[in-house]
Amino acid sequence: QVQLVESGGGLVQAGGSLRLSCLASGSGFSISAMAWYRQAPGKQRELVASITNTGWRSYADSVKGRFTISRDNGKKAVYLQMISLKPEDTAVYYCNMATTRWAIVTDYWGQGTQVTVSS
């Protein structure tokens, strides 16, 4: 069983920075894509950033130039560095990993970490 544990959320003023981390536990699997999603109150969950196992990154237009996604394959970890935070970035942030074990691909999600940006 794979578990994803997130950390790094919190309360920050507009213009501030936060770094989210997500570590996968377990063994016997490989990880292809890793991603961060977020869900604000009353809104649908949206993709914020993703990174492939070859390092190709993509970002939502709303965070381009402010957020940076990175990964450490040895640690089975994905990170989201967020700068110049805005109140509209307030949401619960979830990490997602696509894992492969015995040729079966399974998506896993973290429990979510709250990010609150005050104006």
Side-chain angles (χ1 to χ4, degrees):
Q1 183 72 6
V2 177
Q3 287 189 322
L4 305 186
V5 178
E6 300 158 358
S7 60
L11 173 64
V12 64
Q13 288 188 331
S17 302
L18 283 174
R19 184 177 188 249
L20 305 183
S21 301
C22 175
L23 274 66
S25 64
S27 60
F29 61 92
S30 61
I31 305 172
S32 52
M34 298 180 176
W36 287 95
Y37 288 74
R38 68 186 180 187
Q39 187 166 20
K43 294 187 177 181
Q44 289 189 330
R45 189 172 298 189
E46 63 172 351
L47 176 62
V48 175
S50 64
I51 183 169
T52 68
N53 54 1
T54 57
W56 182 264
R57 297 171 172 86
S58 64
Y59 299 93
D61 287 343
S62 59
V63 307
K64 282 181 181 176
R66 301 187 298 120
F67 290 11
T68 302
I69 189 170
S70 60
R71 62 189 284 167
D72 185 327
N73 293 326
K75 294 182 179 179
K76 291 181 285 189
V78 62
Y79 307 97
L80 187 68
Q81 178 68 50
M82 306 182 292
I83 65 171
S84 302
L85 282 161
K86 304 175 181 179
E88 50 263 43
D89 295 318
T90 296
V92 178
Y93 284 70
Y94 299 90
C95 66
N96 171 271
M97 295 188 187
T99 67
T100 302
R101 187 198 301 262
W102 303 321
I104 298 173
V105 179
T106 306
D107 259 4
Y108 288 95
W109 293 86
Q111 80 284 2
T113 186
Q114 177 70 47
V115 171
T116 302
V117 184
S118 63
S119 56

